[in-house]
């Protein structure tokens, strides 16, 4: 979570009780939301659960256009709206690359999902517009020319660093979860449970057993039994969240 977001949460909590009707907006869960957006949403949900702050997840097909910054997820608390709740990390770059720069994933998954709420030809127009925007950003940060092998190597190095930092601890700062745990969970859990055209990305994470156990721990503690749309069975055993 960014410093601005932390300040927002602290300010709201200090000024008045956190409202029961706080809402987190994201795209449609089953048919529309993409890998990176789902990761950000899960990260924010996990952080709020850790802070014992209730939030209702509201799925809207036009959530991206409702957000003040054009980014999802965003939170509506009282009369205030805050968006861009997660910092840019290596995982986000890797997932954007796979979603919008890997041709097979773009054609088989990204375009159909992104355009699913809209009729033809608007669904194709908006998907290509988003693809052009993301590829322009990837080029600006030097990722447009990377190969898939290079991206997977970057992910592996990031996982290795996280695994070494976590070690045998339950959380990154030993016994108590922090916003770092929420952010890492959101990104790793999404990679582990989202079906792509290839399993190469999730296999990189699965090579680190303590990271997989870390994700299970947070899911069981903060999500199982609280999601009305799913049973209490672990999402790891049920397969991909996104179909």
């Amino acid at each position: 979570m960014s410093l601005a977001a932390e300040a927002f949460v602290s300010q709201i909590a200090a000024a008045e009780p956190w409202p029961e009707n706080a809402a987190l907006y994201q795209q449609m869960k089953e048919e529309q939301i993409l890998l990176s957006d789902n990761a950000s949403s899960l990260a924010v949900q996990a952080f709020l659960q850790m802070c014992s702050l209730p939030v209702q997840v509201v799925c809207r097909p036009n959530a991206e256009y409702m957000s003040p910054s054009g980014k999802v997820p965003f939170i509506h608390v009282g009369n205030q709206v805050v968006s861009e709740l997660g910092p840019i990390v290596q995982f986000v770059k890797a997932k954007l690359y796979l979603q919008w720069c890997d041709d097979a994933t773009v054609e088989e998954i990204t375009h159909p999902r992104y355009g699913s709420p809209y009729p033809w030809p608007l669904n194709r127009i908006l998907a290509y517009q988003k693809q052009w925007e993301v590829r322009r950003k990837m080029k600006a940060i030097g990722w447009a020319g990377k190969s898939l092998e290079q991206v997977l190597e970057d992910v592996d190095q990031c996982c290795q660093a996280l695994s070494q930092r976590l070690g045998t601890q339950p959380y990154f700062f030993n016994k108590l979860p922090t916003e770092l745990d929420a952010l890492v969970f959101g990104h790793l859990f999404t990679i582990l449970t989202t079906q792509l055209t290839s399993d190469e990305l999730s296999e990189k994470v699965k090579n680190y057993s303590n990271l997989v156990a870390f994700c299970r721990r947070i899911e069981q503690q903060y999500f199982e039994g609280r999601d009305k749309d799913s049973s209490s069975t672990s999402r790891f055993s049920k397969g991909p969240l996104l179909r």
Side-chain angles (χ1 to χ4, degrees):
M1 177 168 290
S2 66
L3 292 175
E6 290 182 48
F8 169 81
V9 172
S10 300
Q11 180 182 1
I12 292 294
E16 57 186 32
W18 185 269
E20 292 294 328
N21 64 346
L24 181 147
Y25 286 82
Q26 65 174 46
Q27 303 100 322
M28 304 300 291
K29 182 184 292 186
E30 296 298 328
E31 65 273 11
Q32 184 189 15
I33 195 168
L34 299 178
L35 184 66
S36 55
D37 294 332
N38 191 60
S40 297
S41 180
L42 281 173
V44 174
Q45 292 177 58
F47 178 71
L48 292 176
Q49 294 279 15
M50 292 171 184
C51 296
S52 299
L53 300 174
V55 67
Q56 176 187 2
V57 178
V58 180
C59 299
R60 293 285 186 269
N62 61 337
E64 185 176 357
Y65 301 101
M66 294 168 61
S67 171
S69 66
K71 299 180 184 297
V72 286
F74 67 93
I75 289 184
H76 183 202
V77 182
N79 294 323
Q80 301 191 54
V81 175
V82 61
S83 59
E84 297 185 76
L85 295 175
I88 301 298
V89 295
Q90 198 79 342
F91 284 126
V92 175
K93 297 176 183 176
K95 285 178 289 189
L96 283 174
Y97 176 94
L98 288 172
Q99 285 175 169
W100 296 105
C101 299
D102 179 65
D103 292 336
T105 303
V106 168
E107 290 302 317
E108 295 182 31
I109 296 178
T110 306
H111 277 192
R113 290 186 65 84
Y114 189 84
S116 63
Y118 311 106
W120 188 90
L122 183 60
N123 60 343
R124 301 296 290 178
I125 293 173
L126 291 177
Y128 278 111
Q129 182 180 17
K130 184 67 174 182
Q131 182 179 359
W132 178 84
E133 174 187 339
V134 172
R135 288 193 173 186
R136 181 168 55 86
K137 291 179 179 178
M138 298 300 283
K139 183 177 180 180
I141 62 175
W143 275 62
K146 282 181 177 283
S147 66
L148 179 58
E149 289 73 20
Q150 290 173 316
V151 170
L152 293 173
E153 179 61 27
D154 286 343
V155 170
D156 185 67
Q157 290 178 4
C158 188
C159 286
Q160 183 178 3
L162 289 172
S163 178
Q164 291 176 349
R165 177 64 183 85
L166 181 63
T168 59
Q169 301 177 131
Y171 303 106
F172 283 94
F173 292 96
N174 201 4
K175 296 182 179 180
L176 296 177
T178 67
E179 60 268 28
L180 174 61
D181 296 283
L183 287 167
V184 173
F185 166 78
H187 293 288
L188 292 182
F189 186 83
T190 305
I191 289 175
L192 288 167
T193 57
T194 301
Q195 184 176 9
L196 296 174
T197 56
S198 167
D199 294 330
E200 291 177 285
L201 187 60
S202 62
E203 289 300 321
K204 290 294 183 183
V205 179
K206 290 178 182 177
N207 287 334
Y208 301 90
S209 58
N210 63 336
L211 295 182
V212 176
F214 165 82
C215 289
R216 286 200 182 101
R217 189 178 304 116
I218 290 187
E219 183 201 17
Q220 291 168 358
Q221 184 168 354
Y222 296 103
F223 287 91
E224 283 189 0
R226 303 192 187 196
D227 190 343
K228 296 181 181 179
D229 295 331
S230 64
S231 68
S232 59
T233 305
S234 171
R235 286 168 178 159
F236 279 97
S237 62
K238 292 197 301 183
L241 280 173
L242 307 177
R243 296 187 287 275

